[in-house]
Amino acid sequence: MAKMWAGRFAKELDKTADDFNSSIHFDCKMFRQDIRGSMAHAAMLGAQKIIPPEDADTIIEALGSILEDLESGKLTFDYDCEDIHMFIEQVLTERIGDVGKKLHTARSRNDQVALDIRMYLRDETSDIIEALKNLIAAILDQAKTYKATIMPGYTHLQRAQPITFGHHLMAYAYMLRRDIARIEDARARMNISPIGSCALAGTTYPTDRRMEAAKLDFDGICLNSLDGVSDRDFCVELMSAFSILMMHLSRFSEEIILWASWEFKFIELDDSYTTGSSIMPQKKNPDMAELVRGKTGRVYGDLMALLTTLKGLPLAYNKDMQEDKEAIFDSIETVKMCLGVFTPMIATMKAIPENMYRAAQGGFINATDLADYLTKKGMPFRAAYKIVGQIVALCIEKRTVLDALPLDEYRAYSELFEEDLYNEISLETCVAKRISEGGTSVESVETQIADMTAYLKGNI
Ligand code: ARG
């Protein structure tokens, strides 16, 4: 096909080079944004009398019909075109002739593509934020169900102190809330219009960039045209936010995988979100969680790929920047797919409280509370800590637990020990007494649940 720029060239572009150069097979995703952007551009050109207003109307109407035909499938992409921008312009010109050729006045594909990606990401991030809120809601429901369910809390993957399952789950709700804030923050910075930067230097036409930006719901315009066409910070920022989000989902996945194992058996995943083995009839595998953990690497890779692409680029536009789209599209698709399975997997997961409780009974996870018991009776914490360490060693030797060691054995270490110690170190007391803000007591978890509910309702 003859190129739009053919005038300058004596020979046609080599076929392999043409395919290599082309981006329509992936940037076709942005057809809606490209058309909407072009409609606003035509309107601005008409309003500023840069082209006759009737021509602007003709262009806008034809763009509307192109959009309709693409949506309905009546019109399909021509993969011989270099990119989505060329394709739309070509169809426009086929449909309305020379008037269509006026659309690209006071604009370049460099600012056009920068505009399209920003608009595309703006739309996609709204969907992702919605999906994240749904995940938080699913976690919140589970946290309400299990707000008093005792389990061991871990550090170093060693049993540390008793907590509730609700408390543990709420930790993820807070991570995801920060993820939303990061995406919203990146989106606010992204919502600035580059259109009108043109190729790199601005234009000689009397454009109204602010009018065009307002028509497209941008909050403002980029004030440096070189920056306008070469900035891809917003892609990098979003991919950073997605990477952190995936890191959170991956940590959660890792815990789900551990909890679903026979070694823990703290949870049972729903059959609809697990798979069997082709050879081992007994298997029920947490594939969804494993894949989410696995796909995290892919999203990190997308971020690294774009950072590396951008790092040596001189101003302004360089074709290398076409590589931004596959990376960011892949991140978005991956995040959406992961959330699509992760949320129902969490919503349908069931805890097995008796196994959690049994695990909490081992591992001396009430040892801190025993030391606190002595401290509250006047012993300095370090001295109490030492005595309890010795008592734990004794229990290990005697193959018993703190709750079962007779009082006279305790009193051999300190006269401060009395009968009430057993109540003080029961798992229920250990949890109930952790009333500090953010702690694991049921009231504290209820406060966290109320805070998160208010957040989801948009009240904070
Ligand atoms: N397909 C190109 C991209 O994605 C559009 C911009 C092309 N501009 C140019 N001067 N070749 O970056």
Side-chain angles (χ1 to χ4, degrees):
M1 192 206 312
K3 292 289 176 202
M4 193 214 6
W5 61 73
R8 154 88 175 73
F9 292 79
K11 275 167 81 179
E12 271 196 13
L13 180 62
D14 170 80
K15 169 82 177 88
T16 313
D18 196 6
D19 291 345
F20 183 63
N21 199 41
S22 153
S23 57
I24 187 159
H25 50 287
F26 51 84
D27 62 25
C28 58
K29 268 185 196 299
M30 308 190 298
F31 74 90
R32 292 184 187 86
Q33 291 75 17
D34 195 74
I35 291 174
R36 190 173 165 218
S38 288
M39 286 173 154
H41 189 65
M44 185 280 291
L45 292 177
Q48 294 297 102
K49 309 265 177 350
I50 298 170
I51 64 171
E54 348 31 291
D55 287 355
D57 293 342
T58 309
I59 291 172
I60 292 167
E61 205 190 306
L63 285 169
S65 70
I66 293 173
L67 180 60
E68 247 172 58
D69 293 350
L70 280 171
E71 297 278 15
S72 70
K74 212 161 117 194
L75 175 66
T76 51
F77 299 116
D78 173 359
Y79 293 103
D80 283 340
C81 287
E82 184 184 326
D83 55 29
I84 187 64
H85 326 294
M86 296 292 213
F87 168 72
I88 305 281
E89 200 182 327
Q90 177 187 298
V91 179
L92 181 71
T93 309
E94 277 163 16
R95 291 192 178 185
I96 58 172
D98 281 351
V99 174
K101 296 182 183 168
K102 297 186 179 179
L103 171 63
H104 210 56
T105 313
R107 171 173 95 165
S108 148
R109 271 186 304 158
N110 298 351
D111 57 346
Q112 188 178 355
V113 72
L115 176 80
D116 290 3
I117 316 172
R118 285 175 194 251
M119 287 169 63
Y120 182 83
L121 296 180
R122 200 168 63 174
D123 296 344
E124 292 293 320
T125 47
S126 302
D127 292 351
I128 290 178
I129 288 172
E130 222 25 64
L132 278 171
K133 289 191 175 163
N134 291 337
L135 174 54
I136 294 180
I139 294 173
L140 208 49
D141 276 346
Q142 293 284 25
K144 282 181 205 160
T145 308
Y146 299 117
K147 65 181 180 194
T149 304
I150 293 176
M151 69 181 286
Y154 296 83
T155 63
H156 312 266
L157 203 58
Q158 301 288 319
R159 291 174 196 169
Q161 288 177 348
I163 56 170
T164 66
F165 191 40
H167 188 213
H168 196 123
L169 290 172
M170 284 307 292
Y172 285 105
Y174 280 101
M175 294 177 222
L176 296 167
R177 181 161 151 186
R178 289 195 299 276
D179 290 325
I180 292 178
R182 264 185 285 271
I183 294 170
E184 285 174 341
D185 192 43
R187 197 170 57 169
R189 247 186 311 281
M190 181 170 78
N191 203 30
I192 298 293
S193 169
I195 196 74
S197 299
C198 300
L200 76 163
T203 181
T204 54
Y205 294 99
T207 52
D208 185 343
R209 289 190 59 201
R210 289 176 195 274
M211 174 207 293
E212 196 167 341
K215 275 186 185 301
L216 296 171
D217 301 320
F218 281 97
D219 297 326
I221 61 168
C222 314
L223 275 175
N224 180 298
S225 60
L226 284 126
D227 184 41
V229 289
S230 34
D231 170 27
R232 293 293 182 274
D233 291 5
F234 53 96
C235 294
V236 174
E237 278 193 60
L238 264 187
M239 283 198 276
S240 309
F242 292 156
S243 293
I244 299 173
L245 158 64
M246 288 302 296
M247 177 266 286
H248 291 149
L249 294 185
S250 188
R251 292 180 78 169
F252 203 170
S253 295
E254 170 64 16
E255 299 213 277
I256 302 260
I257 294 161
L258 282 175
W259 293 337
S261 72
W262 279 109
E263 282 67 20
F264 281 76
K265 258 297 166 243
F266 284 1
I267 58 164
E268 189 67 41
L269 290 172
D270 195 81
D271 283 359
S272 0
Y273 297 98
T274 45
T275 60
S277 151
S278 60
I279 170 171
M280 298 166 281
Q282 84 286 8
K283 288 301 284 294
K284 180 172 173 184
N285 297 327
D287 285 32
M288 305 308 130
E290 292 170 78
L291 260 180
V292 169
R293 187 178 60 183
K295 285 181 187 291
T296 302
R298 181 180 174 131
V299 173
Y300 291 1
D302 291 331
L303 169 65
M304 278 305 138
L306 186 57
L307 279 172
T308 311
T309 298
L310 294 172
K311 78 179 267 290
L313 295 186
L315 300 185
Y317 179 82
N318 301 270
K319 190 74 174 203
D320 316 43
M321 289 161 72
Q322 182 164 284
E323 289 292 308
D324 58 357
K325 280 170 276 319
E326 280 171 297
I328 186 85
F329 292 168
D330 184 67
S331 293
I332 286 181
E333 286 313 310
T334 307
V335 165
K336 278 167 76 171
M337 268 197 304
C338 288
L339 290 171
V341 291
F342 203 85
T343 302
M345 178 184 74
I346 294 299
T348 53
M349 153 187 101
K350 290 201 165 56
I352 308 176
E354 56 281 18
N355 289 352
M356 291 181 170
Y357 196 83
R358 201 173 310 121
Q361 285 172 318
F364 303 99
I365 65 178
N366 44 7
T368 314
D369 296 78
L370 188 61
D372 288 344
Y373 170 86
L374 291 176
T375 307
K376 283 174 189 159
K377 292 199 169 196
M379 189 181 288
F381 181 75
R382 277 289 157 238
Y385 172 95
K386 188 170 171 199
I387 286 181
V388 173
Q390 290 164 346
I391 297 173
V392 166
L394 177 76
C395 287
I396 293 171
E397 196 189 308
K398 297 193 159 210
R399 292 176 181 274
T400 185
V401 292
L402 293 174
D403 314 66
L405 192 71
L407 185 59
D408 55 330
E409 305 242 22
Y410 272 111
R411 290 181 69 87
Y413 288 89
S414 167
E415 294 284 297
L416 292 174
F417 283 123
E418 285 169 272
E419 194 58 43
D420 62 348
L421 82 88
Y422 296 103
N423 180 47
E424 283 303 297
I425 64 168
S426 80
L427 294 177
E428 287 72 16
T429 312
C430 294
V431 166
K433 286 207 159 171
R434 288 203 159 63
I435 51 165
S436 55
E437 281 191 89
T440 204
S441 70
V442 176
E443 304 84 87
S444 169
V445 174
E446 278 168 348
T447 306
Q448 296 167 42
I449 289 172
D451 170 60
M452 199 57 75
T453 306
Y455 166 73
L456 283 186
K457 284 191 178 146
N459 296 342
I460 43 174

